[in-house]
Amino acid sequence: MKHTLLSLLGILIAVNVAPASYAQVVQCKGVLGKITVVSIHVPTNHQCVLKGTTVKGNVTVDRNARLLASDVTIQGNVLAKDALYLDLGSLSEVKGFIQRPALLRNPWP
């Protein structure tokens, strides 16, 4: 019993000390506020609203998806060539490049 508890304690300590994975991608299908994330993915046919969000990596907006952002910092790129709608707002900063949709369509069916 004592050996099992020590083993379990060792696993818990290892899990708490392990570095965060930078491969994590947040699936945004609603609203994200003033938080910091590694990357954001807006899936097909969904809408994502960012308000004061910081993104350490890229934001990817899939086909027929919508991204509305206000006062955001994106340290990577915005990849949205097949997006239905893209609005980064005047207070937003993108340190990488922005791949915009070729044609903006009515985002609100």
Side-chain angles (χ1 to χ4, degrees):
M1 178 74 171
K2 184 177 179 181
H3 184 265
T4 303
L5 288 175
L6 289 175
S7 295
L8 182 59
L9 181 61
I11 291 171
L12 290 174
I13 290 171
V15 168
N16 286 331
V17 177
S21 171
Y22 284 95
Q24 291 178 330
V25 176
V26 173
Q27 299 289 320
C28 183
K29 298 177 183 178
V31 179
L32 294 178
K34 248 184 173 175
I35 61 170
T36 299
V37 298
V38 176
S39 293
I40 293 177
H41 173 240
V42 185
T44 299
N45 298 323
H46 283 87
Q47 174 179 305
C48 176
V49 178
L50 305 177
K51 296 181 179 181
T53 310
T54 299
V55 184
K56 298 286 187 179
N58 296 332
V59 175
T60 304
V61 185
D62 282 352
R63 182 173 186 76
N64 292 327
R66 298 174 292 274
L67 175 67
L68 290 86
S70 174
D71 194 24
V72 301
T73 300
I74 301 168
Q75 295 177 354
N77 306 315
V78 176
L79 308 169
K81 74 175 185 138
D82 294 320
L84 179 63
Y85 187 76
L86 176 66
D87 182 355
L88 296 175
S90 61
L91 297 176
S92 297
E93 176 184 12
V94 177
K95 296 190 177 176
F97 65 86
I98 302 170
Q99 186 181 50
R100 295 185 181 275
L103 174 66
L104 291 178
R105 295 163 276 165
N106 182 1
W108 317 119

